Amino acid sequence: MKKSMVAGFMLVGLTACGSSEDVTNGSNAETLVMLTSADYPPYESVDTETEEIIGFDVDIAKHITEELGYELEIQDMDFNGLLPALQSERGDFVMAGMTPKPERLENADFSEIYFEAKNTIVTADGTEYATLEDLSGKKVGVQLGSIQEGEVEAIEGIEIVSLNKIPEIIQELKSGRIDAAIIEDTVAKGYVDANSDLKFTVIENTELAGSAIAFPKGSELVEDFNKVLAEMKEDGTMDELVKKWFEN
Ligand code: ARG
């Protein structure tokens, strides 16, 4: 399933650093640039074999741009740089498991939410924490610029360690330099499945945690993208992609 989907797109131009790729079919259609932070499987990550950026978000973006008659180019960067890059018009949209939290709405327009998530507390030493408050006095890893960073900032006494990439947080956790990390459920699950020393506890959402597509303020693409997203929810395409990426 995964293989044949990927093979259906011809790789047109890989840049020297491999962080930008054209995943469409070489027609004359206008290209939309998607910005992402490919450290977030199963939403987006770099396939170790092909070095392509793959994932749930990528499949959704391919589907939408194809439906709307655009070509798609994907650029990888740190999560924290995504919205500034969008504001300085270095991309047409951001898909990065990004939550449309109120502060972000000041600098970007968002599509409808296409996937709901929950946060988890991940640990490596067997300790289980049930709530964020239990982490007071602990060193806690979060992604720089993420909603998870905002959530721990709201709790008194947490020593926050903000890092650029999720794999760096996992590394810090495994080596005992931090006590816990706050990571979204589906992403945490992948790392816990792959690392027998890791554990996670799902915590109740205190704030919005779903994913939506971000656009530069005033972008005319929002309406078109929302239309296709609604169709995908209707016709089962979204369910299929959820199954493909989240249920294994
Ligand atoms: N949902 C969280 C947020 O919007 C985390 C997203 C992190 N995404 C990523 N590709 N690393 O802040």
Side-chain angles (χ1 to χ4, degrees):
M1 175 72 177
K2 219 177 274 182
K3 279 241 166 63
S4 63
M5 291 277 298
V6 171
F9 295 89
M10 205 164 70
L11 214 65
V12 176
L14 263 180
T15 61
C17 64
S19 64
S20 166
E21 55 186 82
D22 195 329
V23 287
T24 46
N25 53 23
S27 70
N28 287 323
E30 190 189 329
T31 299
L32 293 185
V33 175
M34 162 175 155
L35 307 175
T36 195
S37 168
D39 64 337
Y40 215 53
Y43 291 87
E44 47 263 330
S45 61
V46 179
D47 185 312
T48 44
E49 272 167 46
T50 63
E51 289 188 11
E52 255 185 290
I53 297 171
I54 57 163
F56 179 58
D57 284 346
V58 176
D59 280 358
I60 295 174
K62 280 178 181 172
H63 185 91
I64 295 177
T65 49
E66 210 170 50
E67 285 293 306
L68 297 174
Y70 294 104
E71 296 209 19
L72 175 65
E73 185 186 316
I74 302 175
Q75 278 174 25
D76 188 18
M77 59 183 66
D78 286 345
F79 185 77
N80 195 39
L82 288 170
L83 288 182
L86 196 62
Q87 276 179 286
S88 57
E89 284 170 24
R90 283 159 58 204
D92 298 289
F93 64 99
V94 166
M95 274 188 96
M98 187 178 273
T99 309
K101 67 166 182 173
E103 297 90 310
R104 289 180 181 155
L105 293 173
E106 287 165 22
N107 302 317
D109 286 342
F110 281 86
S111 72
E112 297 298 327
I113 286 179
Y114 58 83
F115 192 73
E116 292 284 355
K118 281 198 149 91
N119 280 323
T120 77
I121 302 175
V122 187
T123 54
D125 61 2
T127 318
E128 284 182 61
Y129 301 95
T131 66
L132 288 178
E133 285 73 19
D134 294 342
L135 294 170
S136 186
K138 304 287 173 198
K139 271 193 181 171
V140 179
V142 287
Q143 184 158 43
L144 187 68
S146 68
I147 55 164
Q148 288 73 23
E149 185 181 48
E151 297 241 348
V152 291
E153 274 167 2
I155 310 287
E156 213 156 315
I158 292 185
E159 191 179 329
I160 303 170
V161 179
S162 300
L163 297 166
N164 273 323
K165 304 266 182 208
I166 298 289
E168 295 170 26
I169 300 175
I170 299 294
Q171 217 28 64
E172 292 298 289
L173 202 55
K174 287 173 74 72
S175 63
R177 283 189 290 270
I178 55 177
D179 302 300
I182 313 298
I183 301 179
E184 262 165 58
D185 49 1
T186 51
V187 177
K189 184 178 180 301
Y191 285 104
V192 169
D193 286 349
N195 296 273
S196 56
D197 52 336
L198 301 184
K199 262 193 186 166
F200 73 90
T201 317
V202 176
I203 51 177
E204 283 312 308
N205 283 345
T206 51
E207 284 176 45
L208 197 68
S211 297
I213 309 169
F215 301 87
K217 272 243 162 264
S219 168
E220 284 169 7
L221 291 172
V222 186
E223 220 184 293
D224 293 346
F225 272 55
N226 272 336
K227 233 180 86 199
V228 183
L229 275 178
E231 281 164 17
M232 292 175 79
K233 286 180 188 169
E234 281 266 324
D235 69 11
T237 310
M238 194 59 91
D239 283 342
E240 250 170 61
L241 293 180
V242 167
K243 239 190 225 133
K244 175 182 172 187
W245 292 102
F246 296 106
E247 288 166 23
N248 48 28

